[in-house]
């Protein structure tokens, strides 16, 4: 701890730049209240949402909720904790890299580049937009960073107790969010690249093997604990398993999905990816050639490690047969930030080259900060439109069908898309209205939408109507906000949002 604090004191530039980046990226999200998709579930029905996470194999998330007393949704408090924890995670990772880095010529700039590039990545906007798990995910990432540090010290100094502690912390992190399995792989390979530069062949092989054992032991321990907990509680769902598409979609479609995803990442297509990944790919290939020419100790393993590092962000996607949720792709910004900071050490003492590279890093961070902030702004605008629309519909229902208990059964048919201004963008979840979710279900109630109404004070419950009667009735109904858009069928209020 003392050495870590000294590291922070010696790197005030890193601290200042990372805080500024965090403020520009997350300032709007932290200081402007809004409710997102799963967050409303936590606010309305905490027990149901809590049990859902346990049944999904995320008992670490549930434990963090209990440990910190975050039993109910408090968005601002959770988001402030998230911001602090993101900074700590970034600092711990930089501390690990600095401990291993023997080339100190560019280490301060490396720290700044890693922290700012990682913190500002737009992919995290999709993850941290889920207020109900914003701090919990960031806390698990901090545990993962500490686990990585303990494993490095435990392996290099032959301290078994530290390795055991590393396994336990990594298990906790994976039990919070399963995709941290891949993030640890990226982190372990990153540490190996530093160690391989001054270690013998035997030491390199020993480090790689023991990291693999720590990772494998954590995974086995997670599955054992998850099996025990789900067996004891009787709570188990197939959410994670349903994401694997190889059996349902076929090999041809999965290969097509993966090809498009890898192309999108490499080409910087869309708001969540940029050109930096292809830049660091080219840079690390050049580094591999350098390693080969120098015939370093364990040079073959070094090249395999570089290939593994570049492929690590795609491992979960390869398993699933599709890109998967953007919020789970956290290894992409990690590898990007690490790769760029790692390659900075090889800048020649040429002012022109330094200026070009530093300028590129600055504008990359600036662009990421802008895009991340824009995503949060867009979802805030979505939230305001949702509140306005829900309030108008809720008052119309109460006016036409007053109920003393304010406990009306309601069915929403169709969907409604928000009309965001040109300054807004949409992500995978961000920017999408509560009135859009679930509209593909055949005449299904929109559970998220009903929960959203409840969070605004309208006590609506799911209604049940015979499907044939419902279908025949809505054919003669107009879409909201027309007068004939709300009807009562067998004491159930039906609201027609669209013809689809």
């Amino acid at each position: 701890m003392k050495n870590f604090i000294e590291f922070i004191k010696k790197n005030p530039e890193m601290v200042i730049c990372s805080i500024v980046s965090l403020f520009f990226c997350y300032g709007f999200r932290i200081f402007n209240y809004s409710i997102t998709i799963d967050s409303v579930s936590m606010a309305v029905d905490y027990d149901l949402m809590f049990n859902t996470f346990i049944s999904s194999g995320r008992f670490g998330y549930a434990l963090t909720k209990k440990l910190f007393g975050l039993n109910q949704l408090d968005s601002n408090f959770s988001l402030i904790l998230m911001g602090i924890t993101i900074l700590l995670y970034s600092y711990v990772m930089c501390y690990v890299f600095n401990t291993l880095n023997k080339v100190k010529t560019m280490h301060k700039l490396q720290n700044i580049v890693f922290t700012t590039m990682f913190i500002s990545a737009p992919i995290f906007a999709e993850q941290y937009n889920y207020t109900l798990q914003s701090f919990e995910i960031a806390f698990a990432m901090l545990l993962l960073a500490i686990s990585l540090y303990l494993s490095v010290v435990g392996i290099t100094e032959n301290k078994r107790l530290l390795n055991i502690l590393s396994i336990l912390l990594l298990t906790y992190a994976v039990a919070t969010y399963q995709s941290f399995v891949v993030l640890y792989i990226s982190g372990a390979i990153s540490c190996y690249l530093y160690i391989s530069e001054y270690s013998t062949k035997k030491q390199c092989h020993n480090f790689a093997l023991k990291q693999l054992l720590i990772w494998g032991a954590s995974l086995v321990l997670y599955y054992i604990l998850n099996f025990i907990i789900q067996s004891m509680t009787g709570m188990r769902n197939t959410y994670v398993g349903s994401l694997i598409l190889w059996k349902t979609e076929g090999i041809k479609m999965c290969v097509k999905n993966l090809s498009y995803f890898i192309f999108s990442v490499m080409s910087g297509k869309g708001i969540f990816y940029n050109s930096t990944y292809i830049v660091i790919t080219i840079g690390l290939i050049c580094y591999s050639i350098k390693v080969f020419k120098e015939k370093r100790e364990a040079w073959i393993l070094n090249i395999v490690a570089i290939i593994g590092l570049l492929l690590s962000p795609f491992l979960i996607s390869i398993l699933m047969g599709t890109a998967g949720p953007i919020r789970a792709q956290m290894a992409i910004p990690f590898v990007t930030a690490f790769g760029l900071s790692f390659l900075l050490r090889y800048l020649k003492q040429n002012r022109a080259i330094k200026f070009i590279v530093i300028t590129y890093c600055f504008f990359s961070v600036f662009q990421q900060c802008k895009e991340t902030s824009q995503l949060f702004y867009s979802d805030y605008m979505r939230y305001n439109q949702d509140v306005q629309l829900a309030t108008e519909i809720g008052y119309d229902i109460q006016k036409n069908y007053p109920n003393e208990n304010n406990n009306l059964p309601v069915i929403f048919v169709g969907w409604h898309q928000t009309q965001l201004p040109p300054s807004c963008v949409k992500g995978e979840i961000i920017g999408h209205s509560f009135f859009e979710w679930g509209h593909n279900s055949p005449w299904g109630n929109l559970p998220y939408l009903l929960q959203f109404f409840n969070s605004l004070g309208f006590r609506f419950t799911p209604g049940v109507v015979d499907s044939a009667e419902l279908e025949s009735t809505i054919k003669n109904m107009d879409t909201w906000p027309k007068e004939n858009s709300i009807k009562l069928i067998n004491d159930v209020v039906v609201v027609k949002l669209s013809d689809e």
Side-chain angles (χ1 to χ4, degrees):
M1 179 61 74
K2 183 179 179 181
N3 291 337
F4 176 70
I5 294 173
E6 284 298 316
F7 165 74
I8 298 297
K9 289 180 179 179
K10 290 179 180 178
N11 287 273
E13 304 91 346
M14 175 193 70
V15 174
I16 293 170
C17 290
S18 60
I19 292 175
V20 170
S21 296
L22 184 78
F23 177 78
F24 276 107
C25 291
Y26 295 94
F28 193 91
R29 179 74 182 97
I30 292 173
F31 298 110
N32 288 278
Y33 178 79
S34 65
I35 292 181
T36 53
I37 295 299
D38 278 356
S39 303
V40 72
S41 303
M42 184 64 75
V44 173
D45 195 338
Y46 169 79
D47 291 332
L48 175 62
M49 205 63 196
F50 188 85
N51 292 338
T52 298
F53 280 102
I54 293 178
S55 65
S56 300
R58 297 176 60 185
F59 56 88
Y61 167 90
L63 180 58
T64 302
K65 281 282 187 189
K66 293 293 185 181
L67 287 176
F68 288 88
L70 302 174
N71 297 333
Q72 299 297 330
L73 183 66
D74 185 342
S75 61
N76 290 95
F77 184 69
S78 296
L79 290 169
I80 290 171
L81 284 178
M82 173 204 74
I84 294 171
T85 313
I86 287 173
L87 291 174
L88 287 174
Y89 167 82
S90 301
Y91 298 160
V92 172
M93 285 307 308
C94 280
Y95 176 66
V96 175
F97 296 150
N98 274 254
T99 302
L100 301 173
N101 187 8
K102 302 300 181 182
V103 182
K104 301 296 184 182
T105 54
M106 299 290 290
H107 68 283
K108 285 185 176 291
L109 180 59
Q110 285 182 266
N111 296 336
I112 294 172
V113 168
F114 177 82
T115 53
T116 54
M117 282 293 294
F118 187 70
I119 288 171
S120 62
I123 282 176
F124 287 114
E126 282 285 339
Q127 179 60 258
Y128 293 131
N129 198 49
Y130 285 90
T131 311
L132 81 166
Q133 63 182 31
S134 55
F135 166 69
E136 290 77 9
I137 296 296
F139 179 69
M141 292 176 72
L142 176 60
L143 295 181
L144 185 147
I146 296 172
S147 169
L148 192 60
Y149 172 73
L150 293 175
S151 70
V152 169
V153 177
I155 294 171
T156 55
E157 298 183 10
N158 198 27
K159 295 182 178 180
R160 292 184 180 179
L161 178 59
L162 295 184
N163 290 333
I164 293 172
L165 290 175
S166 174
I167 291 170
L168 294 176
L169 290 181
L170 179 56
T171 302
Y172 193 152
V174 172
T176 302
Y177 205 69
Q178 288 93 333
S179 64
F180 284 143
V181 167
V182 171
L183 189 58
Y184 185 87
I185 293 174
S186 302
I189 295 175
S190 301
C191 292
Y192 171 82
L193 291 180
Y194 277 117
I195 286 177
S196 66
E197 296 197 329
Y198 54 84
S199 300
T200 64
K201 184 176 181 179
K202 183 179 179 180
Q203 289 173 329
C204 290
H205 288 175
N206 179 64
F207 183 85
L209 178 60
K210 288 187 176 180
Q211 281 289 3
L212 184 61
L213 290 174
I214 288 172
W215 176 81
S218 299
L219 205 56
V220 170
L221 180 58
Y222 162 72
Y223 279 114
I224 291 173
L225 291 175
N226 186 51
F227 176 79
I228 293 171
I229 291 171
Q230 290 189 343
S231 297
M232 291 175 62
T233 59
M235 291 184 288
R236 183 181 288 109
N237 67 36
T238 59
Y239 170 71
V240 176
S242 67
L243 297 175
I244 300 175
L245 303 183
W246 288 101
K247 289 184 178 180
T248 57
E249 298 294 330
I251 295 176
K252 185 177 179 180
M253 179 57 68
C254 289
V255 170
K256 184 178 179 180
N257 293 338
L258 292 172
S259 300
Y260 181 77
F261 171 53
I262 294 172
F263 172 77
S264 298
V265 174
M266 290 295 184
S267 62
K269 186 177 181 180
I271 194 170
F272 295 105
Y273 314 117
N274 56 52
S275 60
T276 308
Y277 205 90
I278 192 66
V279 170
I280 64 119
T281 299
I282 294 170
L284 288 173
I285 289 173
C286 294
Y287 174 75
S288 299
I289 296 171
K290 180 180 182 333
V291 169
F292 173 74
K293 286 182 177 180
E294 293 175 355
K295 288 292 188 291
R296 292 184 187 176
E297 292 275 0
W299 65 270
I300 296 177
L301 185 57
N302 284 24
I303 294 175
V304 172
I306 291 169
I307 296 172
L309 179 67
L310 292 172
L311 289 178
S312 61
F314 306 105
L315 293 179
I316 288 183
S317 300
I318 292 171
L319 174 65
M320 294 191 299
T322 185
I326 288 174
R327 60 186 177 275
Q329 298 170 12
M330 292 177 283
I332 293 176
F334 178 88
V335 172
T336 302
F338 168 78
L340 202 56
S341 64
F342 180 78
L343 293 170
L344 283 175
R345 302 183 312 152
Y346 296 96
L347 279 180
K348 294 181 179 180
Q349 299 303 315
N350 184 304
R351 290 186 178 182
I353 295 176
K354 279 187 177 181
F355 177 78
I356 292 171
V357 173
I358 292 172
T359 302
Y360 174 82
C361 292
F362 172 80
F363 280 105
S364 294
V365 172
F366 179 82
Q367 181 68 16
Q368 287 194 161
C369 287
K370 183 177 75 70
E371 290 172 344
T372 301
S373 181
Q374 188 181 22
L375 284 164
F376 287 130
Y377 164 75
S378 301
D379 203 64
Y380 176 73
M381 296 297 290
R382 181 277 311 163
Y383 171 73
N384 285 331
Q385 288 192 24
D386 278 354
V387 169
Q388 181 179 358
L389 181 59
T391 302
E392 291 174 359
I393 292 175
Y395 284 145
D396 270 2
I397 292 174
Q398 290 182 335
K399 180 180 69 175
N400 293 325
Y401 306 104
N403 188 301
E404 292 183 1
N405 299 323
N406 192 24
N407 198 29
L408 287 169
V410 178
I411 290 177
F412 293 93
V413 176
W415 62 296
H416 177 85
Q417 195 171 24
T418 52
Q419 301 300 316
L420 298 175
S423 58
C424 295
V425 293
K426 286 188 176 183
E428 189 175 61
I429 301 295
I430 288 174
H432 292 278
S433 169
F434 279 104
F435 291 86
E436 294 179 55
W437 292 101
H439 70 272
N440 290 324
S441 302
W443 311 123
N445 292 301
L446 310 181
Y448 289 121
L449 185 52
L450 289 174
Q451 290 173 346
F452 182 60
F453 272 93
N454 289 342
S455 73
L456 297 176
F458 298 100
R459 296 292 177 258
F460 298 150
T461 59
V464 178
V465 176
D466 178 73
S467 59
E469 184 177 3
L470 178 62
E471 186 172 357
S472 63
T473 302
I474 63 171
K475 285 181 179 179
N476 301 317
M477 293 174 63
D478 296 320
T479 58
W480 199 88
K482 295 178 181 178
E483 287 189 11
N484 192 35
S485 60
I486 301 177
K487 279 194 173 183
L488 192 68
I489 304 176
N490 298 330
D491 297 323
V492 176
V493 177
V494 177
V495 182
K496 186 177 181 180
L497 299 174
S498 70
D499 291 319
E500 298 181 29

